[in-house]
Amino acid sequence: MATPASRRQTAADAGAATDDTRVLLALAVLYGAMSFLVYRVIHMHHVAPLGPDAPPGEFSEGRVLQHLRRLAADIPSRQEGSPGLEAAAQYIKGQLEGLAAHAVAEYRIEVEETLVSGSFSMMFLRHRVTLGYRNHKNIVMRISSNVSEEDEPSLLVNGHFDSPLGSPGAADCGSCVASMLELSRLIIESGWVPPRPVIFLFNGAEELFLLGSHGFIKTHKWNSTIGAFINIEASGSGGAGICRTYLSMDCASYMQDMFGIIPGDTDYRIFAEDIANIPGLDIIFVLGGYFYHTSYDTLENLIPGSIQARGENLFNLIKAFTNSSMLLKESERYNKSVNDKINNLRAIFFDYMTWFMIFYPRDVSLILHSLPVAVFLLTPLFLNFPKITMMSMFRTILDLARGM
């Protein structure tokens, strides 16, 4: 027969079990809501793509898709040496020349078709590769004010229009060059005259070990004027995109380490590391990486909203770079670094679910990142205060280690 004490204990146990269930249910709802929110953010559900009839002063994903349909659907393939690559080059050149013909007098627009040749060596997967190439085609457009100088510091925006064997290359990197066509139209038709020249490099040989960008940075007449660059790439079919940087900060700092592991590279390497030493950004689609370099890299598999978000960000970046007093050509960067004794220590720089950016200098990061270690080591002191002994500290640290 149950005693009053045992009944009270049973009721207490039941109440505790109910409280535990409520806590677990609340945690499940919280984590479910957070997962749903993260899913919507990384799949760009919060971005509304603009259609082809969007105002001319806005970046439009719909207009990008019109270019992309021509490049990745109507043209069968864009591999180096194929007729499709030449067709893509002529389409891009025709679009740029059409923009130049309708530009108002405040702009100076220059469009060039160039053939590049050269040779160089690079390390790839811990092996040295030596490359020689000849007559690879690049299309270059320079947008500047009608009073700009030929040797004025400029911003380079780069994307490649060749695609890998067996892939339509809708994301990689038809989406890049189609976005660049829309960006060049936006600059001209919006009435915004860039305070510094903007050079759009549509390079035709990235998949073959970055030959197009190497040819430009080694041989083109504007190569010494580049003060910064933005490289647009795709290793997936969309998403918020990630970026790495050779600025005085790291955009998602961990990406600098990841690119030492991933068996692949982009034109960023040519501009910032191996050949030149130019500050810049590498902006890359990574979501849907299972379509990358396959026959499924098609328009249908692009994630809606991704091109819209990237394009709006790129336009704002172009404005920020060209308005910056730090946009300096090579000789000016060297003189400034010597005179000012600049120590290019990289900081920590990342976004929180695309909502806002978090940035702090490297000196501050050493303190912030050491705090967890300090808390871990000091916890035994607080838990055993004021009766602190070596044995009690050791036991507490051991318990913490077991809990981890």
Side-chain angles (χ1 to χ4, degrees), residues 52-70:
D53 57 347
E58 300 284 346
F59 183 94
S60 164
E61 181 173 314
R63 285 190 283 260
V64 172
L65 292 177
Q66 288 180 334
H67 293 305
L68 191 51
R69 192 164 288 107
R70 175 74 180 113

Side-chain angles (χ1 to χ4, degrees), residues 26-54:
L27 287 174
V29 171
L30 175 63
Y31 286 128
M34 291 173 62
S35 300
F36 177 73
L37 179 61
V38 170
Y39 178 87
R40 289 187 61 84
V41 169
I42 64 176
H43 285 82
M44 310 308 292
H45 290 176
H46 61 295
V47 177
L50 298 183
D53 57 347

Side-chain angles (χ1 to χ4, degrees), residues 51-292:
D53 57 347
E58 300 284 346
F59 183 94
S60 164
E61 181 173 314
R63 285 190 283 260
V64 172
L65 292 177
Q66 288 180 334
H67 293 305
L68 191 51
R69 192 164 288 107
R70 175 74 180 113
L71 292 168
D74 298 343
I75 296 174
S77 64
R78 304 191 310 277
Q79 290 79 43
E80 186 62 37
S82 69
L85 189 68
E86 177 62 21
Q90 295 311 311
Y91 174 80
I92 292 168
K93 184 181 178 183
Q95 293 295 311
L96 298 179
E97 289 176 337
L99 290 171
H102 295 92
V104 296
E106 287 79 9
Y107 294 89
R108 185 168 74 177
I109 313 293
E110 300 164 81
V111 179
E112 295 184 357
E113 176 183 315
T114 64
L115 296 176
V116 295
S117 304
S119 62
F120 66 103
S121 294
M122 65 186 297
M123 293 299 297
F124 185 72
L125 299 178
R126 296 193 295 273
H127 294 280
R128 181 162 293 280
V129 180
T130 301
L131 304 155
Y133 61 95
R134 184 174 63 180
N135 294 338
H136 289 279
K137 184 168 290 186
N138 288 336
I139 309 296
V140 186
M141 180 189 210
R142 185 176 187 263
I143 304 177
S144 59
S145 70
N146 57 10
V147 295
S148 66
E149 302 291 337
E150 187 72 14
D151 62 346
E152 194 170 349
S154 56
L155 170 68
L156 175 68
V157 181
N158 174 73
H160 67 92
F161 60 89
D162 63 321
S163 63
L165 187 65
S167 174
D172 180 26
C173 208
S175 70
C176 310
V177 296
S179 295
M180 290 164 61
L181 288 173
E182 172 66 0
L183 283 168
S184 58
R185 179 210 64 79
L186 179 57
I187 292 174
I188 294 170
E189 294 188 3
S190 67
W192 175 71
V193 180
R196 303 286 183 85
V198 179
I199 299 172
F200 288 95
L201 170 59
F202 301 81
N203 88 69
E206 189 268 353
E207 301 292 354
L208 293 177
F209 288 96
L210 322 176
L211 304 182
S213 56
H214 179 271
F216 173 85
I217 210 64
K218 293 295 288 186
T219 65
H220 201 276
K221 62 183 180 180
W222 292 323
N223 59 5
S224 62
T225 70
I226 306 299
F229 73 90
I230 302 173
N231 182 56
I232 314 173
E233 256 295 356
S235 296
S237 57
I242 60 172
C243 65
R244 60 171 173 167
T245 171
Y246 190 65
L247 296 164
S248 57
M249 62 191 77
D250 286 346
C251 184
S253 331
Y254 62 86
M255 286 311 304
Q256 298 291 79
D257 298 323
M258 287 183 62
F259 268 87
I261 301 172
I262 297 172
D265 248 311
T266 72
D267 290 318
Y268 173 96
R269 176 174 177 175
I270 296 295
F271 299 134
E273 296 174 348
D274 287 12
I275 307 302
N277 191 31
I278 305 171
L281 291 170
D282 208 0
I283 299 179
I284 312 168
F285 282 163
V286 293
L287 196 63
Y290 33 80
F291 299 130
Y292 173 62

